[in-house]
Amino acid sequence: MLIATGATIAVVLPVYFLNPTYTAETYRRDVDVATVARQAAGDAGYLPASPGLPDGWSSNYARWVTGRSDGVDFWEVGFLTADSGFIQLTQTDDANPTWLAQRVGDAQVSGTRSIGGLEWELLDAPDGDTVLTSEVDGATVVLNGEASLTEFDTLGGAVIEDVRQNAVEEAERLSSYDTDGS
C-alpha cells in the first residue's frame, strides 16, 4: 500500500508543478474589439459597437452570438475597467421583450440615468450587479456588471458615440453605393 501511494505521488507531483499558476493577469487579455466587430459585421448586417475607451480599460472577449433558440442574434463584449471592474456590453437590432427580460434576469428597475443625452433604464440585480438598458439609434444596448456608475457612464457614452458614428459611416457608404451605381 505504501508503494502504491508513493507511486501515485510520484506521478501527480510533476504534473502539479508543471501547471502554470493563475493570477489576476491570467484573465486580463486585450482583445482587439474593432477587428472582431468588423469580422462580425457581415453576419450582423451592421457594424457592432467597438467603443474607444480610456487608458487602463481592456477587453477580455468579443463575440457575435447566433443560432440561439430565441432567434435573437447579438454582439457581446466584456470590458475590464481601469479600477478592476467588469462591464459586459450586449447589442442587437432584433430585440424583443422576452429576450430583454432574459438578458436582465432578476434585476429590478431602480430608476433612470442620463448618459450621452439618452435615458437609460437603471436596474439592480440581486447579485449586486448593475444593469443599464437603452435604445441607441434602433439598437438595443444592455450594459451589466460590477463597476462604478461613473464607469458605466464612460462606457455608455462611448457606445452611443460609436453606434452613431457607425450609422453615419454606413449611410455614407450606402449613399456612395447608390450614386456610383456599383
Side-chain angles (χ1 to χ4, degrees):
M1 191 156 152
L2 290 175
I3 294 173
T5 302
T8 302
I9 290 173
V11 169
V12 171
L13 283 178
V15 172
Y16 175 78
F17 287 116
L18 290 175
N19 281 316
T21 58
Y22 295 100
T23 65
E25 292 303 311
T26 302
Y27 300 103
R28 186 174 282 276
R29 294 190 280 162
D30 198 10
V31 174
D32 184 353
V33 177
T35 299
V36 179
R38 282 191 301 277
Q39 292 168 347
D43 291 332
Y46 60 91
L47 182 59
S50 58
L53 295 165
D55 288 340
W57 286 62
S58 64
S59 175
N60 58 353
Y61 66 89
R63 59 184 166 231
W64 178 251
V65 180
T66 187
R68 294 169 35 112
S69 62
D70 59 15
V72 178
D73 301 336
F74 56 92
W75 172 243
E76 189 173 64
V77 184
F79 291 101
L80 300 170
T81 70
D83 293 333
S84 300
F86 174 80
I87 304 174
Q88 177 179 287
L89 158 67
T90 307
Q91 175 189 3
T92 186
D93 66 348
D94 196 26
N96 60 53
T98 303
W99 177 84
L100 188 57
Q102 289 173 341
R103 297 305 301 168
V104 301
D106 294 333
Q108 299 296 314
V109 176
S110 62
T112 60
R113 190 162 182 86
S114 181
I115 303 172
L118 292 179
E119 283 296 311
W120 292 70
E121 188 172 56
L122 176 63
L123 301 98
D124 293 323
D127 62 0
D129 281 3
T130 299
V131 181
L132 289 167
T133 65
S134 188
E135 292 290 320
V136 181
D137 293 355
T140 300
V141 176
V142 179
L143 304 177
N144 66 293
E146 291 184 7
S148 70
L149 286 176
T150 304
E151 292 171 320
F152 274 93
D153 291 348
T154 300
L155 181 57
V159 167
I160 291 167
E161 185 178 317
D162 192 61
V163 167
R164 288 182 174 162
Q165 182 62 37
N166 290 346
V168 167
E169 289 174 7
E170 180 66 9
E172 288 172 355
R173 187 184 67 79
L174 291 175
S175 173
S176 70
Y177 177 77
D178 290 340
T179 57
D180 291 350
S182 308

